[in-house]
Amino acid sequence: MQSFIHGFAIGMSLIVAIGAQNAFVLKQGLKRQYVFWVCLLCATSDAILIALGVTGFAQVIQSYPQILSITKYFGAAFLFIYGAQHFYAAVTQNQSLSASDTQAENVWKILAICAALTWLNPHVYLDTVILLGSISTQYAATKMYFAFGAMTASFIFFFVLGFGARFLQPIFQRPQAWKILDMMIALMMWAMAFNLLFN
């Protein structure tokens, strides 16, 4: 139980940081579009990466750092383009938007964007595979409980974020709020792309 609690606490502390993935889940939650599937994809992806870290895949990444280099450049390019789309929406979108009348996009397109934001982000590998994988070695006999705790934190966080976003819907019935959100997401994506390339 102690290993589970430690895994849960460390997992939650890593995942609550505002990032591209969390911003995407928040926006889908506000739109009420495919929230369950987006949250499930994010949490399941985290669970897979955590399992890889705990079972020793962290050593593979440390032995072959070019894996992170490849994801760094692809991830930075994707974040720049995704940020540009939100910047364009912030500048050109003037109509009143509410979560109930936004046009639903194709579910596969949404899940593809979500998967790219998750798997093309090198920080995800550093946090889940390498960091959690390294910490799990302190729990040699109970590391699977540690991993399960971290996975549980991921599932709880994403589903609370996705389905809890609807409580912010009254704020986003004003078009200005959506413009501000889009601009914030655009700047966040560009900052993360710059950080990946130059930090």
Side-chain angles (χ1 to χ4, degrees):
M1 192 62 183
Q2 185 179 11
S3 297
F4 175 88
I5 293 173
H6 286 174
F8 182 90
I10 294 172
M12 189 64 76
S13 67
L14 290 174
I15 201 171
V16 295
I18 297 297
Q21 189 184 46
N22 296 351
F24 182 79
V25 173
L26 175 63
K27 187 161 188 180
Q28 288 306 120
L30 288 168
K31 290 182 175 181
R32 299 191 182 188
Q33 293 178 6
Y34 315 119
V35 180
F36 174 82
W37 296 111
V38 167
C39 294
L40 183 64
L41 175 60
C42 290
T44 303
S45 297
D46 267 10
I48 292 171
L49 291 167
I50 292 168
L52 289 174
V54 170
T55 54
F57 189 72
Q59 296 176 349
V60 175
I61 291 183
Q62 289 173 334
S63 300
Y64 300 95
Q66 58 267 33
I67 294 175
L68 290 181
S69 296
I70 294 171
T71 59
K72 177 177 74 172
Y73 292 112
F74 278 104
F78 179 82
L79 288 172
F80 180 81
I81 295 170
Y82 187 66
Q85 291 176 339
H86 278 277
F87 180 81
Y88 179 78
V91 172
T92 62
Q93 213 166 58
N94 292 315
Q95 70 270 27
S96 177
L97 289 174
S98 66
S100 59
D101 63 19
T102 50
Q103 184 177 0
E105 299 182 68
N106 182 279
V107 62
W108 297 112
K109 176 184 176 182
I110 294 298
L111 293 180
I113 293 173
C114 184
L117 289 171
T118 301
W119 292 90
L120 290 180
N121 182 3
H123 292 297
V124 171
Y125 297 92
L126 294 173
D127 288 344
T128 56
V129 178
I130 294 180
L131 183 57
L132 283 174
S134 299
I135 295 174
S136 70
T137 59
Q138 302 174 23
Y139 306 90
T142 58
K143 65 180 180 181
M144 294 313 296
Y145 292 99
F146 175 86
F148 185 63
M151 293 174 188
T152 302
S154 181
F155 273 88
I156 290 175
F157 175 80
F158 281 117
F159 277 92
V160 169
L161 178 63
F163 286 98
R166 65 186 59 193
F167 294 106
L168 298 174
Q169 186 181 353
I171 298 174
F172 286 89
Q173 288 177 348
R174 302 193 304 269
Q176 192 66 23
W178 283 98
K179 292 169 73 71
I180 292 172
L181 178 64
D182 278 323
M183 185 62 72
M184 289 177 60
I185 291 176
L187 294 175
M188 183 190 305
M189 298 304 123
W190 289 341
M192 292 184 65
F194 183 86
N195 184 63
L196 284 179
L197 291 175
F198 301 107
N199 190 353

